[in-house]
Amino acid sequence: MSEQQSTIHYERTSPQIAKITFTNPPVNLIVGETVLRLIEIVQELATDPDIQVVVFDSATPDFFYNHFDLAAAADFPASEDPDAVPAWTNLVLELSKAPYITIAAIRGRTRGGGNELALALDLRYASREKAIFGQPEVGSGLLPGGGGSERLPRAIGRDRALEAILTSDDYDADTAERWGWVTRALPDSELDAFVGTVAARLASFDRTSLASAKAQINRASLPPDADLVAAYGEFAHSLTLPGFLARAAGTQAVVEQAGIDFEYRLGHYIGIANQQR
């Protein structure tokens, strides 16, 4: 697929810095092409001797990186080997361990798989006015499957992770910063310049020192790979359970009534869909 048709825009802004931009309007849902293109880019960068910083942002207003498009689940990459690590799980694991620094410039909603990818990145800077975070799976009868249940408790603590995941609600950037969900929240007008300054600073440092320090911190903080593999299997299984299937029709009715506002206020509408059952 050409760059113009892709849901990912990739550019090299300097020999040391790359930018990955999510562009799947209107709400930046995660589709199979997105995953495949991200995998391609990460594989290319794995053997790049110059790359030191990769910045992730969005070209879709009001959405950074959203949840999986379950209507297009059949398009997601899958291995014929039942023992293989799922493609999405392998992607977030590779990003966490990559020998370069990953930075998210989060402006807009980032939920579900999108939030799980953001959690796999090294530094997360959020627009104070525009960033929204959530793990909406449980409210839909599903389970997180991309690392949310493994990474979020390590970032914000067990009780706050339980609240976020169990209530499936939306959280603003101030709360996310206070809890440790993001590295810091900044005024929207300052976000891009701040991220650019951090990226340029890191790009000027010694590449080996950066990668080695990241590996040290990973050793002390990352969840076991096997836990993420197990979680993805549990997520996939939850797609077949009565709790999800019973809610899917009711949620679809709410979606049809709310239109695109459903994605803008997902946490709110998930509560409505359940309470109307």
Side-chain angles (χ1 to χ4, degrees):
M1 179 172 285
S2 71
E3 185 73 21
Q4 287 75 24
Q5 295 173 304
S6 179
T7 56
I8 295 289
H9 176 71
Y10 172 77
E11 65 175 314
R12 197 62 169 263
T13 59
S14 79
Q16 294 79 30
I17 301 174
K19 179 181 284 189
I20 294 173
T21 301
F22 303 117
T23 173
N24 188 25
V27 296
N28 267 6
L29 292 178
I30 304 173
V31 295
E33 190 278 331
T34 313
V35 181
L36 288 170
R37 182 66 183 124
L38 281 174
I39 290 171
E40 289 177 357
I41 294 169
V42 170
Q43 289 175 342
E44 291 171 9
L45 292 174
T47 58
D48 190 309
D50 297 319
I51 193 68
Q52 293 187 201
V53 182
V54 179
V55 176
F56 290 74
D57 66 4
S58 170
T60 303
D62 303 323
F63 292 88
F64 173 69
Y65 201 31
N66 213 347
H67 55 84
F68 285 3
D69 183 357
L70 296 180
D75 297 331
F76 279 79
S79 172
E80 295 181 0
D81 180 358
D83 296 323
V85 176
W88 179 261
T89 304
N90 190 64
L91 173 64
V92 294
L93 289 173
E94 290 294 322
L95 283 169
S96 294
K97 300 173 185 177
Y100 46 81
I101 309 306
T102 52
I103 304 175
I106 302 173
R107 178 180 282 113
R109 290 142 184 83
T110 175
R111 304 187 181 103
N115 181 61
E116 290 171 329
L117 183 131
L119 287 170
L121 304 182
D122 301 320
L123 301 170
R124 291 174 297 282
Y125 298 112
S127 163
R128 191 175 301 280
E129 298 94 333
K130 298 184 178 181
I132 299 288
F133 302 86
Q135 287 289 157
E137 293 87 354
V138 169
S140 301
L142 297 172
L143 293 172
S149 49
E150 290 71 43
R151 299 188 197 275
L152 204 53
R154 287 171 167 81
I156 68 176
R158 178 179 182 271
D159 55 339
R160 286 171 169 168
L162 279 169
E163 180 189 306
I165 291 173
L166 297 183
T167 66
S168 299
D169 211 346
D170 289 335
Y171 291 81
D172 61 29
D174 285 329
T175 302
E177 179 187 46
R178 189 168 64 251
W179 284 10
W181 200 323
V182 296
T183 310
R184 68 171 78 191
L186 297 140
D188 186 72
S189 61
E190 300 175 13
L191 178 63
D192 295 330
F194 185 89
V195 169
T197 298
V198 172
R201 179 183 177 90
L202 295 178
S204 74
F205 289 178
D206 176 68
R207 185 178 191 270
T208 300
S209 295
L210 284 175
S212 298
K214 174 177 171 175
Q216 286 183 324
I217 295 168
N218 282 352
R219 192 168 62 228
S221 60
L222 288 185
D225 291 3
D227 288 359
L228 273 76
V229 173
Y232 192 89
E234 291 159 355
F235 159 73
H237 179 61
S238 70
L239 289 167
T240 69
L241 295 178
F244 168 66
L245 298 175
R247 285 166 173 75
T251 300
Q252 184 57 36
V254 174
V255 171
E256 292 173 359
Q257 182 177 13
I260 198 171
D261 193 52
F262 183 86
E263 292 293 345
Y264 276 82
R265 298 194 295 155
L266 183 59
H268 168 74
Y269 284 112
I270 283 177
I272 290 177
N274 279 277
Q275 291 163 16
Q276 288 181 349
R277 291 180 69 247

